Amino acid sequence: MGRLLACKMQRAGLTPCLLFREGDRRELAQPLFDLEAESVLRLEAAGTPSLAPGTIEGLWVTTKAIDVLSALDSVLPALAESAPVILMHNGMGVLETLAERHPDLPPYSAITTDGAYLQPRPAGAE
């Protein structure tokens, strides 16, 4: 969902940046084919350790529910003070746990009926 959202944001003229855990960068470097616009998109990607404090002005967390809290914890130092945090995940109970851990962080919760399919790369393709 994060890549689908990033494609829509880029098409709207915004400059999204996908954040990744160490070891995931190669997959994020893969070009995205926007079938609606019939174009290929290349998105900026950054590792969470390389983020400077206060540089994230808005954050969409689009991981599986089990990974939301660790993903958010990894970028908290980089969040700007007034940055909105929007959670879009596939589970329940995350908002309650987040409110207990970080009462000063009011997250938004997003629901979607859209989906995305990540086609595997052919063997040997780089």
Side-chain angles (χ1 to χ4, degrees), residues 19-65:
L19 301 178
F20 63 91
R21 289 177 280 196
E22 293 307 313
D24 292 343
R25 185 181 186 100
R26 179 178 166 199
E27 187 172 318
L28 286 177
Q30 181 178 356
L32 303 172
F33 300 93
D34 184 342
L35 298 178
E36 283 182 24
E38 297 181 359
S39 63
V40 177
L41 302 173
R42 294 199 182 274
L43 299 167
E44 181 181 342
T48 54
S50 67
L51 297 171
T55 57
I56 297 177
E57 297 173 4
L59 180 67
W60 284 79
V61 182
T62 59
T63 64
K64 297 284 187 184

Side-chain angles (χ1 to χ4, degrees), residues 54-95:
T55 57
I56 297 177
E57 297 173 4
L59 180 67
W60 284 79
V61 182
T62 59
T63 64
K64 297 284 187 184
I66 195 168
D67 296 323
V68 168
L69 296 172
S70 63
L72 187 55
D73 285 344
S74 73
V75 298
L76 277 177
L79 276 178
E81 190 172 318
S82 61
V85 175
I86 303 162
L87 306 179
M88 184 182 288
H89 57 84
N90 66 338
M92 296 170 47
V94 176
L95 283 174

